[in-house]
Amino acid sequence: MTKRGSTLKCLAKKLSPRTVEDFFEEAGATLIKRGKEYDRPAGERSAGPTAIAFNAITGRDLRPAEVWLILQIVKDVRQFTGTYHQDSAVDGIAYSALKAEALASEA
């Protein structure tokens, strides 16, 4: 595909209605990108260290899956109390997937 054809395809994708597949693809790409930005080869996986820090400060026993749940809720609250934000929708999907991964690793 030519550069112009690729540009037109990207533009058409942005203008067309978003599909479930688009959201999943973007959420996965975002996880990989964030992992690279924060020097984590496996992608975004900061809930474990976050839970450890939170527990040390508060004396509680928060699990990594619960950290992802909290972050997912933050994104959902933003979506339902304001205007639609694409990044919050994508992040909410990513947090849900990370939560599922954390819960599966606990099983």
Side-chain angles (χ1 to χ4, degrees):
M1 179 177 291
T2 67
K3 183 176 179 182
R4 182 171 185 262
S6 177
T7 302
L8 291 174
K9 185 177 178 182
C10 288
L11 180 59
K13 189 173 183 179
K14 288 180 183 179
L15 296 176
S16 65
R18 299 286 302 203
T19 65
V20 171
E21 292 83 6
D22 291 337
F23 281 106
F24 282 138
E25 183 179 321
E26 190 171 343
T30 299
L31 287 172
I32 293 167
K33 180 182 174 200
R34 299 264 167 81
K36 288 178 182 176
E37 288 172 357
Y38 296 106
D39 196 29
R40 303 219 186 254
E44 169 60 66
R45 299 295 186 282
S46 58
T50 300
I52 290 167
F54 179 87
N55 294 338
I57 293 166
T58 65
R60 299 217 176 168
D61 191 26
L62 196 66
R63 301 179 350 252
E66 293 168 320
V67 171
W68 295 126
L69 175 61
I70 290 167
L71 292 170
Q72 182 184 359
I73 291 168
V74 168
K75 295 299 181 172
D76 288 343
V77 167
R78 287 180 183 167
Q79 291 292 64
F80 286 93
T81 59
T83 58
Y84 174 78
H85 292 278
Q86 177 86 9
D87 63 323
S88 288
V90 170
D91 286 346
I93 294 163
Y95 293 147
S96 180
L98 289 161
K99 179 185 65 184
E101 179 185 80
L103 287 168
S105 73
E106 293 174 5

